[in-house]
């Protein structure tokens, strides 16, 4: 792990963010590839996976994004928390706006949102997961950009930990997208293709986030909190409700706890 951190320290931060999110994209593809091995997915497994995803995202939002953002903000007392509060609100509002505009459908294929469109349901599901992955890629890029800009509270270990945590939760997410598509009658290859494609936006968002922070350095506390707000919105609006639709809520809850603990341990241990 020390060699990985040293490598990321030695290269351009934008390139580092790009490589890190190629890793998270790769784990999404690896999860989606399970569709070649299994015909169906147990609902309890799906809910546990989604709970794990939610736990990682919530822990990453605080330990990797909000806490460093507050630490590097100027001022004292309530003044110090203003950038985090503003950024958090804007991040949630950004995803809320996309949620209302971008056509997409939930994993259960029963709830469609956004502008009405004749697009196929498989495309709409892929767009839904892509919506999840925008703040994840952005978070990684922003953190790498903050390290390069020399902000106190931002370090390579924390950025690597965030990428690793997001990659871990992307693995079950890829499977959770591919299998419902398979159940809808798509071939294994098409189900895999759609499943992995949902994370293709992460490297793009990461590069944009790193570039923005390096170009406009004062926005870093706002950018970190923006990514956190976007991630929390996704968890509360979609991930957690999806786990409450069946009888496996306890499994989903324990998955959430497990994901939170793993992400917290990664951030504290490596950051």
């Amino acid at each position: 792990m020390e060699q990985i951190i040293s490598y990321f320290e030695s290269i351009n931060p934008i390139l580092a963010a790009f490589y890190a999110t190629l890793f998270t994209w790769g784990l999404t593809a690896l999860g989606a590839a399970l569709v070649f091995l299994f015909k169906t997915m147990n609902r309890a497994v799906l809910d546990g996976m989604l709970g794990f995803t939610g736990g990682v995202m919530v822990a990453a939002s605080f330990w990797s994004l909000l806490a460093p953002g507050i630490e590097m903000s100027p001022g004292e007392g309530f003044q110090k928390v203003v950038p985090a509060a503003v950024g958090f609100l804007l991040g949630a509002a950004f995803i809320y706006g996309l949620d209302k505009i971008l056509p997409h459908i939930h994993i259960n294929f029963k709830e469609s949102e956004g502008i009405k469109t004749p697009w196929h349901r498989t495309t709409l599901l892929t767009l839904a997961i892509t919506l999840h992955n925008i703040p994840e890629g952005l978070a990684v890029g922003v953190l790498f950009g903050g390290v390069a800009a020399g902000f106190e509270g931002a370090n390579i270990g924390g950025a690597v930990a965030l990428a690793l945590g997001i990659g871990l939760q992307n693995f079950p997410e890829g499977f959770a997208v591919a299998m419902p598509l398979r159940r809808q009658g798509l071939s294994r290859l098409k189900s895999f293709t759609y499943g992995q494609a949902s994370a293709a936006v992460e490297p793009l968002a990461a590069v944009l986030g790193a570039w923005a922070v390096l170009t406009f350095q004062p926005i870093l506390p706002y950018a970190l909190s923006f990514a956190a707000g976007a991630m929390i919105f996704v968890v509360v609006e979609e991930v957690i409700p999806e786990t409450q639709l069946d009888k496996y809520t306890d499994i989903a809850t324990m998955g959430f706890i497990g994901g939170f603990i793993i992400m917290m341990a990664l951030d504290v241990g490596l950051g």
Side-chain angles (χ1 to χ4, degrees):
M1 185 59 68
E2 291 181 1
Q3 292 178 335
I4 295 175
I5 293 175
S6 296
Y7 172 73
F8 278 113
E9 287 176 336
S10 67
I11 62 176
N12 181 283
I14 295 178
L15 190 60
F18 180 71
Y19 286 161
T21 44
L22 282 182
F23 165 76
T24 63
W25 182 9
L27 283 183
T28 304
L30 193 61
L34 292 177
V35 76
F36 293 108
L37 302 177
F38 300 97
K39 292 182 179 180
T40 60
M41 179 172 58
N42 186 281
R43 179 70 205 198
V45 174
L46 173 62
D47 287 346
M49 287 180 170
L50 290 175
F52 179 85
T53 293
V56 169
M57 293 175 73
V58 170
S61 296
F62 176 74
W63 295 98
S64 299
L65 301 171
L66 277 175
I70 293 172
E71 182 181 342
M72 64 184 63
S73 297
E76 298 293 337
F78 286 110
Q79 184 181 2
K80 193 173 183 64
V81 82
V82 168
V86 171
F88 193 84
L89 179 61
L90 291 176
F94 173 71
I95 297 298
Y96 173 81
L98 288 182
D99 191 60
K100 297 303 179 185
I101 296 172
L102 184 68
H104 62 283
I105 196 169
H106 294 258
I107 291 175
N108 55 31
F109 284 98
K110 295 178 181 178
E111 305 169 41
S112 59
E113 297 182 0
I115 296 174
K116 299 300 180 182
T117 174
W119 294 349
H120 197 277
R121 289 188 298 175
T122 55
T123 302
L124 296 178
L125 177 60
T126 304
L127 286 175
I129 305 302
T130 299
L131 189 64
H132 292 188
N133 289 326
I134 291 174
E136 295 172 8
L138 185 64
V140 174
V142 165
L143 205 50
F144 272 106
V147 173
F151 278 87
E152 184 179 354
N155 59 77
I156 285 291
V160 171
L162 178 61
L164 184 57
I166 287 176
L168 288 176
Q169 64 95 19
N170 274 6
F171 177 79
E173 191 174 79
F175 188 44
V177 176
M179 284 307 301
L181 294 176
R182 177 63 178 158
R183 288 203 307 269
Q184 289 293 310
L186 268 69
S187 68
R188 285 185 169 88
L189 181 58
K190 284 187 176 180
S191 298
F192 165 76
T193 300
Y194 278 106
Q196 63 82 30
S198 63
V201 70
E202 288 190 2
L204 299 176
V207 168
L208 177 62
W211 171 83
V213 168
L214 287 172
T215 306
F216 310 102
Q217 293 188 16
I219 72 169
L220 180 59
Y222 296 92
L224 288 170
S225 303
F226 181 96
M231 289 173 68
I232 292 296
F233 184 93
V234 167
V235 172
V236 175
E237 194 272 339
E238 188 161 334
V239 176
I240 291 179
E242 183 67 33
T243 67
Q244 306 301 302
L245 299 177
D246 216 310
K247 58 184 179 181
Y248 304 107
T249 55
D250 288 344
I251 294 176
T253 301
M254 294 310 299
F256 182 97
I257 297 298
F260 189 98
I261 291 173
I262 289 174
M263 185 64 238
M264 178 177 63
L266 285 172
D267 188 85
V268 174
L270 295 178

